[in-house]
Amino acid sequence: MRRLLAILLLATAMFAAQGAAPKWEEVNTPPVELTADTNADNESSGHTVVKNGYVYIYTSEPVTVKIFTILGQLISTEKVTPGTHRLKINTRGIYILKLGSMTRRITI
């Protein structure tokens, strides 16, 4: 009985943790740096900027975006539509951003 209760509790905690994953949100006004060619990557899949704890991305086509910790743990994965999106990352550190075929190191 105790094992069953422990398994049920563990499964509930896992489902709750999945719901707490950060989500990309679409924004209407990108940071100025996102539209400037000097600070943006010249990749067809998109551009990225880190500002005030947010990761901003711009893409002209639907792409899958993945954020990993420097140790390789997946933080967020989501398919985003064309446009500007942002993700709030609360913990400072070094992350790996995979935006379509582009891979980039970002520092919060």
Side-chain angles (χ1 to χ4, degrees):
M1 183 69 174
R2 287 185 182 186
R3 280 190 187 176
L4 182 60
L5 185 58
I7 291 171
L8 183 60
L9 188 60
L10 182 61
T12 305
M14 288 175 50
F15 286 120
Q18 286 179 347
K23 295 282 186 185
W24 289 93
E25 60 182 351
E26 191 166 359
V27 293
N28 294 328
T29 55
V32 176
E33 296 90 0
L34 196 56
T35 58
D37 290 333
T38 56
N39 290 342
D41 297 329
N42 291 326
E43 298 263 344
S44 61
S45 58
H47 307 291
T48 62
V49 169
V50 177
K51 187 173 187 179
N52 297 332
Y54 284 96
V55 177
Y56 290 87
I57 61 167
Y58 170 78
T59 181
S60 58
E61 58 192 39
V63 294
T64 301
V65 183
K66 295 181 181 182
I67 300 265
F68 298 91
T69 66
I70 196 69
L71 299 175
Q73 181 183 13
L74 183 64
I75 300 291
S76 171
T77 182
E78 194 169 332
K79 186 163 185 161
V80 296
T81 57
T84 304
H85 302 272
R86 73 179 181 182
L87 177 73
K88 176 71 171 171
I89 298 181
N90 294 323
T91 307
R92 292 182 158 203
I94 299 173
Y95 297 89
I96 305 298
L97 171 75
K98 185 161 175 56
L99 176 64
S101 62
M102 178 183 75
T103 302
R104 183 171 179 198
R105 179 186 59 89
I106 56 174
T107 304
I108 302 290

